[in-house]
Every structure is written in C-alpha cells, then in structure tokens.
Amino acid sequence: MKILPNDTFIILTSDSLPIVLQRLNAQVEPTKAFRFSRKHAPYQGTISESGFQISRIIHYRNSFLPVIQGEL
C-alpha cells in the first residue's frame, strides 16, 4: 500500500500546442478562495506553455483532494 499515492502517465496527441492550451483553458479557472456560484469550470489552477497545475473544484471539505501536474 502506498502512503502517498502517485500515478504517472503520458498522453500523446498530434494536436499543436495552441490547441491543447485552448482545450485546457476551457476547463480550468484561476484559483479563488471562495466561490458563491455553482456555474464554473470543473477545475481550478494555473496553465502555462511549459505545463500546468490544476485541482478539481468541489463544494465540500476534502483534505485529500489530488493536485494534477503536467508538462507540455
């Protein structure tokens, strides 16, 4: 049993970098401390041309919310 779970995988695509960034930006919002509306993207975090760091937006407490990190 892993104490701290850590999974690694690679996704290969023939799409160009601007298309991949556009698709990610459609699903990710900037990080906010409070959200009063339930109309938002499913993820929050930061995206750059070199990579991203995102996490799921939830409306309940969860101290074990995974952080997704990636390189482009």
Side-chain angles (χ1 to χ4, degrees):
M1 183 175 113
K2 298 178 185 178
I3 294 177
L4 294 175
N6 184 10
D7 292 326
T8 302
F9 59 92
I10 298 172
I11 299 174
L12 299 175
T13 181
S14 60
D15 295 334
S16 64
L17 182 60
I19 292 174
V20 173
L21 289 172
Q22 180 183 12
R23 288 181 181 167
L24 277 173
N25 281 321
Q27 300 296 319
V28 179
E29 288 186 0
T31 304
K32 294 182 182 175
F34 298 103
R35 294 187 192 277
F36 298 108
S37 172
R38 292 197 178 250
K39 293 184 179 186
H40 52 73
Y43 296 93
Q44 67 181 358
T46 58
I47 300 173
S48 69
E49 290 190 8
S50 61
F52 58 89
Q53 183 172 356
I54 60 175
S55 63
R56 185 87 172 151
I57 297 174
I58 59 172
H59 298 285
Y60 54 90
R61 289 190 245 184
N62 184 356
S63 60
F64 294 102
L65 189 63
V67 174
I68 305 165
Q69 296 177 337
E71 295 178 6
L72 302 172

